[in-house]
């Protein structure tokens, strides 16, 4: 199917959703999100399509468009869109994007690029550490690349997390603990190891820590609900040069306390269970500072999610910021996400709803 530019006079945007191919050549990404965005945009008299970098040509793009009437995808060749929404799911694919001439093409055509890319945990930590407001909410963190420094850090905190700089969804995270007999215990979602000393631990784990550029972060003793640790997951979107909370969920650990992520066995709780005016105000203030800081440093971020907790002493802590949020299990938050994204598309392209 060849689509012409007859829609260019519409008052709503044409959105190109950039994704990537899996190793088997199939299109990757959040198919449900892509379909729901298309349905919403059609209701606004707009349209969207998905594409990968290998489908980009000098003046046209080969991609795929979702047809709700047929409930299926159709191949298309189309002119460049009004805006490109970055939903590349793989870091290796983003590295290919950075080496390509695609950004130059968008700049030449004056096409906005929505969300610069994945956030490296080391870069995020240094950004927030030097921020006048956000530095207060960062757990103590060091690079896990020096034996003596890591040993001293563990001795001071007794229990720490090891996190790879370039990962998401709790992948590769471990808890490192020093027990009363000075033995070293390291726990993952599946793995468990014990060492009689830090020297033995370092000998076995040094290459892994260095290769994946691990960070070490103090463990925060989070508030409990019914005896189990809980964290907050906050979704935020840009709107009229500000950032607003789109939705908040609570995740509770169950069989393990390393992470509260649902895929790792965490439990979903409604935010209303603990909601109060103080939390509401703090989360709204937090997303404004984080959004502004990210966009000023890395380029415009239209959306992000935050994983954070509250210590048993009442201190707020930021654990992660995700530039390409996973789907929320709360259907109402997912619905608001689609609504806010489409309204942001309208804003960024300068086109107004009929």
């Amino acid at each position: 199917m060849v689509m012409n530019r007859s829609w260019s006079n519409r008052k709503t945007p044409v959105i190109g959703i950039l994704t990537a191919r899996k190793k088997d050549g199939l299109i990757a990404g959040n198919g449900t999100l892509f379909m729901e965005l298309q349905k919403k945009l059609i209701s606004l008299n707009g349209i969207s399509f998905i594409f990968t970098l290998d489908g980009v040509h000098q003046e046209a793009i080969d991609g795929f468009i979702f047809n709700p009437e047929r409930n299926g995808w159709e191949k298309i060749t189309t002119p460049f869109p009004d805006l490109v929404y970055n939903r590349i799911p793989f870091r290796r694919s983003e590295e290919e994007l950075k080496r390509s001439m695609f950004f130059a093409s968008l700049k030449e055509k004056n096409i906005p690029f929505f969300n610069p890319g994945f956030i490296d945990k080391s870069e995020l930590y240094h950004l927030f550490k030097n921020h006048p407001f956000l530095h207060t909410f960062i757990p103590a963190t060091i690079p896990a690349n020096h034996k003596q420094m890591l040993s001293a850090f563990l001795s001071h905190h007794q229990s720490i997390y090891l996190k790879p700089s370039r990962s998401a969804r709790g992948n590769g995270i471990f808890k490192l603990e020093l027990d009363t007999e000075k033995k070293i215990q390291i726990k993952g979602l599946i793995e468990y190891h014990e060492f009689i000393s830090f020297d033995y631990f370092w000998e076995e784990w040094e290459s892994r820590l260095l290769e994946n550029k691990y960070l070490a972060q103090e463990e925060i003793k989070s508030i409990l609900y019914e005896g189990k640790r809980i964290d907050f997951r906050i979704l935020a979107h840009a709107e009229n040069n500000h950032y607003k909370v789109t939705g908040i969920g609570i995740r509770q650990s169950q069989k393990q306390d390393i992470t509260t992520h649902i895929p790792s066995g965490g439990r979903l709780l409604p935010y209303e269970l603990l909601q109060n005016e103080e939390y509401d105000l703090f989360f709204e203030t937090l997303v404004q500072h984080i959004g502004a800081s990210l966009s000023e440093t890395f380029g415009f971020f239209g959306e992000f999610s935050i994983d954070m907790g509250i210590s048993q002493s009442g201190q707020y802590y930021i654990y992660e910021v995700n530039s390409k949020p996973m789907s929320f299990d709360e259907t109402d938050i997912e619905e608001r996400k689609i609504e806010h994204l489409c309204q942001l598309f309208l804003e960024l392209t300068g086109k107004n709803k009929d």
Side-chain angles (χ1 to χ4, degrees):
M1 180 188 298
V2 178
M3 302 193 71
N4 61 35
R5 206 50 185 174
S6 62
W7 62 60
S8 60
N9 292 324
R10 296 183 184 214
K11 293 183 179 180
T12 49
V14 177
I15 304 302
I17 303 174
L18 177 59
T19 183
R21 294 185 183 274
K22 295 183 282 189
K23 291 181 179 179
D24 61 9
L26 296 177
I27 301 295
N30 188 336
T32 301
L33 172 64
F34 302 159
M35 291 185 286
E36 292 304 317
L37 284 173
Q38 173 75 324
K39 293 175 185 177
K40 183 63 179 180
L41 283 167
I42 288 175
S43 76
L44 299 172
N45 198 31
I47 201 165
S48 65
F49 64 92
I50 67 171
F51 68 101
T52 58
L53 201 59
D54 58 6
V56 177
H57 308 292
Q58 189 170 354
E59 293 299 332
I61 295 176
D62 295 329
F64 300 85
I65 189 167
F66 178 70
N67 186 333
E69 293 181 358
R70 298 182 181 178
N71 194 34
W73 294 90
E74 302 172 1
K75 288 185 177 181
I76 62 165
T77 298
T78 173
F80 274 65
D82 296 311
L83 178 147
V84 173
Y85 175 39
N86 178 14
R87 287 296 303 193
I88 291 178
F90 310 125
R91 291 179 183 270
R92 58 176 170 77
S93 299
E94 279 205 341
E95 292 301 321
E96 294 173 10
L97 175 65
K98 292 175 183 177
R99 295 192 296 268
S100 74
M101 296 298 293
F102 186 58
F103 284 122
S105 297
L106 295 181
K107 187 173 182 181
E108 180 183 334
K109 300 175 188 298
N110 199 29
I111 296 174
F113 186 79
F114 181 147
N115 283 2
F118 290 107
I119 306 172
D120 183 286
K121 289 182 177 62
S122 295
E123 294 178 354
L124 185 74
Y125 170 72
H126 288 295
L127 175 63
F128 288 177
K129 183 181 178 182
N130 296 312
H131 190 280
F133 177 75
L134 298 174
H135 78 274
T136 308
F137 314 111
I138 304 300
T141 306
I142 64 168
N145 60 3
H146 189 278
K147 179 180 178 181
Q148 282 71 31
M149 285 181 59
L150 183 59
S151 179
F153 191 74
L154 177 61
S155 295
H156 178 71
H157 294 288
Q158 299 294 298
S159 181
I160 64 177
Y161 280 100
L162 296 174
K163 300 178 177 181
S165 290
R166 310 184 80 189
S167 71
R169 307 179 186 180
N171 293 327
I173 189 172
F174 292 91
K175 183 189 284 190
L176 190 64
E177 295 180 292
L178 185 64
D179 71 15
T180 53
E181 298 178 357
K182 301 301 180 183
K183 291 180 181 178
I184 304 294
Q185 297 176 348
I186 185 161
K187 305 172 185 177
L189 297 178
I190 300 175
E191 296 179 64
Y192 173 83
H193 306 279
E194 188 171 284
F195 299 91
I196 61 173
S197 70
F198 189 87
D199 288 340
Y200 281 101
F201 159 75
W202 183 260
E203 182 179 345
E204 185 166 325
W205 278 72
E206 177 184 10
S207 60
R208 187 171 182 175
L209 296 178
L210 298 183
E211 181 180 346
N212 293 286
K213 298 182 179 179
Y214 267 82
L215 296 176
Q217 192 170 83
E218 67 170 313
E219 180 190 7
I220 304 301
K221 300 295 184 182
S222 300
I223 56 174
L224 307 177
Y225 179 77
E226 295 181 344
K228 298 287 187 177
R229 165 191 163 189
I230 60 170
D231 294 336
F232 295 84
R233 189 163 176 236
I234 304 163
L235 180 65
H237 288 91
E239 181 180 317
N240 298 322
N241 297 318
H242 289 279
Y243 288 87
K244 294 186 176 181
V245 171
T246 299
I248 303 172
I250 296 176
R251 302 293 181 264
Q252 184 183 44
S253 64
Q254 292 294 297
K255 296 180 180 179
Q256 48 78 27
D257 62 355
I258 295 174
T259 175
T260 60
H261 291 297
I262 299 293
S264 301
R267 176 189 176 197
L268 180 153
L269 297 176
Y271 174 57
E272 291 73 21
L273 202 62
L274 298 176
Q275 183 177 13
N276 59 48
E277 188 175 341
E278 178 191 321
Y279 288 177
D280 289 347
L281 179 60
F282 177 78
F283 294 150
E284 288 288 355
T285 303
L286 185 71
V287 301
Q288 177 57 36
H289 281 286
I290 288 179
S293 182
L294 290 176
S295 291
E296 182 180 338
T297 305
F298 302 117
F300 178 69
F301 275 85
E303 67 176 343
F304 55 88
S305 66
I306 309 166
D307 294 339
M308 66 167 299
I310 302 174
S311 72
Q312 294 175 14
S313 63
Q315 169 73 8
Y316 295 98
Y317 284 99
I318 301 168
Y319 300 142
E320 308 278 356
V321 176
N322 305 295
S323 59
K324 298 176 187 179
M326 295 169 58
S327 296
F328 274 66
D329 292 282
E330 296 88 347
T331 55
D332 59 324
I333 296 179
E334 280 296 292
E335 290 171 0
R336 290 198 296 272
K337 176 172 75 174
I338 299 299
E339 177 71 29
H340 288 192
L341 278 171
C342 290
Q343 292 302 323
L344 183 55
F345 294 157
L346 297 176
E347 178 186 333
L348 293 177
T349 56
K351 301 194 176 188
N352 300 313
K353 189 163 57 174
D354 287 338

